[in-house]
Amino acid sequence: MAAKMEANPRGIPQSPFVERVEDYVSDAEPAEVVLRKFQETISKYKFMEVNMMQRRKVLEEKIPEIEKTIAMVDFLVEKQESNEPVYTDYELNDTLYAKAKVEASGTVYLWLGANVMLEYTFEEAKDLLTSKRDTAKTSLKNTLEDLEFLRDQITTMEVNTARVYNWDVKQRRLAREKAAK
């Protein structure tokens, strides 16, 4: 294969297209070895594809959750400005809920994960959540681009594999015909 490989912006290598099989197959590297390398490369691309699909799923779940949290912060700001208390039901355990009257305090607690919760002012919370949402959207866009790129690379490598295999079959047939003469 080529010594210098191109890559996409996030470092996924671009697969070469085999125009001339003779450039890839030689006595030192017979067709079987080349086919094995191509299959290994396809496996690597498919592994990356599975990871990207999992990442996409996580991001597609995370973005609406962040947007709901931003909407809740906006709701609390609105209630604080009108000096209205918020009445809500909250979960005590799986089947037990309690009613609560929440007075506007100007702060909100955000769950950051890993058993960490921090108190933020409404403005700080909205800024943080907006930043997280924008980052997640950018990451989702990049992941979708990477998935498309990976599908193209897998297709290219499958075509390469077919070309080398067909070339090898043809060479073996020619060798058999030559030996029969």
Side-chain angles (χ1 to χ4, degrees), residues 74-90:
D74 290 339
F75 174 75
L76 292 172
V77 167
E78 181 183 305
K79 289 296 184 180
Q80 183 183 22
E81 289 170 354
S82 66
N83 286 327
E84 285 181 56
V86 176
Y87 294 95
T88 186
D89 293 330
Y90 65 95

Side-chain angles (χ1 to χ4, degrees), residues 14-74:
Q14 183 174 357
S15 61
F17 179 73
V18 175
E19 287 187 41
R20 288 178 26 107
V21 176
E22 297 82 8
D23 294 342
Y24 288 82
V25 178
S26 65
D27 290 336
E29 213 170 69
E32 293 80 19
V33 174
V34 173
L35 288 170
R36 198 173 322 114
K37 284 183 179 182
F38 284 0
Q39 287 301 324
E40 191 177 301
T41 303
I42 290 171
S43 295
K44 289 176 185 176
Y45 282 134
K46 287 187 177 186
F47 177 77
M48 285 188 266
E49 182 183 36
V50 167
N51 286 334
M52 289 290 169
M53 289 187 328
Q54 289 171 342
R55 180 181 176 97
R56 182 184 85 194
K57 185 176 185 248
V58 167
L59 289 168
E60 286 174 343
E61 291 171 359
K62 187 179 193 180
I63 292 170
E65 190 176 305
I66 293 171
E67 288 173 342
K68 280 198 284 190
T69 307
I70 291 171
M72 181 52 73
V73 170
D74 290 339

